[in-house]
Structures are given as C-alpha cells and as structure tokens.
Amino acid sequence: MNETLEILVEVNHVWKSYGKIIANEDVTLNIRKGEIVGLLGPNGAGKTTLVKQIYGELHPSQGEIKVLGGKPTDGKIKRMMGVVPQEVTPYGELSVYDNLYFMAKIKGVDKPTAIKNVEDVIEKLNLKDRRKTFARDLSGGLRRRLLIGMALVNSPKLLILDEPTTGLDPEARREVWFLLKSLRDSGIGVLLTTHYLDEAERLSDRIYFVNRKVIAQGTPMEIKRKFSLYYEVTDITSGKVYYVKEDEVKDFVSKLEGKFEVRLPSLEEIYLKVMGNDS
C-alpha cells in the first residue's frame, strides 16, 4: 500500500458507549484514496456503530473522526460521500432512472449535473436495459447494483457499504465485487463491512478485525504472516487440531504417534482464532 495516497478518513481513538454498554473502544483506523478497506467482526462487534459515526449519523462519545478533511456531520462533507446502509432498499414504485435522479436531487446536485451523473451511473453499472424498470421488479443483485448507483450519483470521493452482498447468490456477489474493484481503480475510497472472509480477502487492500476495538489490522498477506507464527497441526489418528507456535512445531509433532498434518492457517481460520481469543 502506497503510504503517500491521500487519506480520506481518519478515526482517532474513538469510543462510543450507550450507558454502560461500550460499542466502540479506542478505535483508530484510516482509509486512503483508491483503496478498499474491509471491516470484519461478529454480530454485535460495533461495526455498524462505527460506520454510522464515519458517515455522520452518530457522534463519538470520545475521540475524533475526520472525513475528507472535515467533520462527517458537515453537510458539505456529506455531499462528497456515498452510503449504502444495511437493509436499505430502493423505492419500489420508482423506475431505476427515477431512483437515481431523485437521489441525486436529494443530495443537492443541480438538475443538469444530476441528469449527466444519472446517465453516467446507468452506463457504468450496465443498467441501460433496466432504466425504465420499477425497482420492485429487479432481482436481488440488480437492486443492490441500483443502491450502489444511488450512492454514486453525487460523484463521491468516499463510498461506504455496510454488508452490501448479504443475501445475494454467488453470481450476484461477484458482480458487486467486480463493480467495487472498478470503483477502487477509479480512485474512490471504499469502506466495506462484511461477514464473508473470502469477500474481504478478494476485495480489501487492508483489513481491520473489529470486536468493539481493533483486534488486528493490515493487508490480507500481512495478517497471514503475523499469525502464521501459529501452525495448525492435525493429529489424523485422533482428529484433534492444535495451534502451535512456529518454534515449537518440531518438538510438538515429534511427540505425536501415527499420521499428522501441518499447515498454515487460512484467513478465515485466523479470524476465527483471533476472535475466539478475544471473546
């Protein structure tokens, strides 16, 4: 990752609590121009709470968040963001075109620019054949594509997606992946929350494991290298699985009888191990 890329989001020592319940604990992270940052964590880990603070729906209890050089609650800053929250749907009684156009107007885009941006988004997202189709008649994958388009009609510098592929079939998920990669390549910064480890590994330039606080961070390869100090040793005779430090593997397996297997953990296994240790 090029450290000289423009930083779009700075989250510095952010805490968010509701009474005695702590949702975010001293979280620090950043997002740069032209990269996809993945947030991974179990249900209730505070991912959505953190994301809502980044796009200005919630305020931190402590700490500071800067988005595009300003406060995320600033209207001018909001107009430079595109957001697809969880469980949001397009307006079913409106066509694809009208959903895009009215979202552009809601975001304060003037009429000539809104018309141009809508046409650009329809072209970019390959929705030309669906421009007059009511949103209620779209497939799940096309509705998700339309939602991303609605987040893009104001030409944002930052795109925030909270669980964008939940409930999609494998083909529709891969269509979203291709779209997000193309947006990243065009210079947009993308913040992505997901439960899918394969999605995070394929898409993310950097990953944060979050469970209230940041448990681990880095590129997918950096995370693998860091946690590959632990090897997975499977005793095939008994079926037991052990996680053994790198410098202890030889001694450990010498004490095993019968057949065994030694391998590095996958990103998914690293995630499960890290989160299991934190719980």
Side-chain angles (χ1 to χ4, degrees), residues 150-169:
M150 292 166 70
L152 293 173
V153 288
N154 57 320
S155 302
K157 294 184 177 181
L158 173 68
L159 182 63
I160 299 174
L161 305 167
D162 199 0
E163 306 286 355
T165 62
T166 298
L168 297 185
D169 61 49

Side-chain angles (χ1 to χ4, degrees), residues 261-276:
E261 179 183 56
V262 181
R263 66 181 180 88
L264 293 171
S266 68
L267 185 65
E268 181 173 3
E269 291 163 332
I270 289 171
Y271 169 85
L272 293 172
K273 183 69 175 176
V274 170
M275 289 303 177

Side-chain angles (χ1 to χ4, degrees), residues 78-247:
K78 282 181 174 292
R79 287 192 289 273
M80 292 190 286
M81 288 190 273
V83 181
V84 181
Q86 276 192 49
E87 300 178 358
V88 68
T89 58
Y91 299 101
E93 304 303 314
L94 295 181
S95 68
V96 166
Y97 183 94
D98 286 343
N99 265 285
L100 293 167
Y101 178 78
F102 285 114
M103 183 55 67
K105 295 301 292 178
I106 287 170
K107 292 183 175 184
V109 181
D110 64 79
K111 184 175 180 178
T113 305
I115 292 172
K116 178 183 182 302
N117 287 359
V118 169
E119 294 297 341
D120 289 345
V121 166
I122 285 175
E123 179 73 26
K124 182 180 292 186
L125 273 59
N126 196 23
L127 290 169
K128 288 183 290 185
D129 295 339
R130 302 286 183 169
R131 62 188 295 130
K132 295 182 179 180
T133 304
F134 288 121
R136 65 171 183 248
D137 297 325
L138 297 174
S139 67
L142 285 172
R143 280 197 299 271
R144 204 60 56 89
R145 202 188 304 175
L146 173 56
L147 284 169
I148 294 173
M150 292 166 70
L152 293 173
V153 288
N154 57 320
S155 302
K157 294 184 177 181
L158 173 68
L159 182 63
I160 299 174
L161 305 167
D162 199 0
E163 306 286 355
T165 62
T166 298
L168 297 185
D169 61 49
E171 183 178 356
R173 284 180 67 206
R174 279 164 177 76
E175 287 181 3
V176 173
W177 292 358
F178 179 81
L179 172 59
L180 295 183
K181 286 180 179 179
S182 68
L183 294 173
R184 183 265 315 275
D185 293 343
S186 72
I188 294 175
V190 180
L191 175 61
L192 169 75
T193 76
T194 181
H195 284 298
Y196 300 120
L197 272 293
D198 62 329
E199 182 167 274
E201 186 166 5
R202 286 172 181 262
L203 291 179
S204 301
D205 298 288
R206 291 185 297 122
I207 290 173
Y208 291 86
F209 288 171
V210 177
N211 195 2
R212 299 182 318 278
K213 56 188 177 181
V214 175
I215 307 302
Q217 61 177 296
T219 67
M221 188 56 65
E222 286 171 347
I223 290 175
K224 282 187 174 184
R225 282 200 297 264
K226 179 178 179 180
F227 289 93
S228 290
L229 295 175
Y230 291 84
Y231 282 71
E232 182 184 282
V233 180
T234 302
D235 184 336
I236 297 175
T237 304
S238 67
K240 290 183 178 180
V241 178
Y242 305 90
Y243 292 90
V244 185
K245 291 182 179 180
E246 183 177 19
D247 57 358

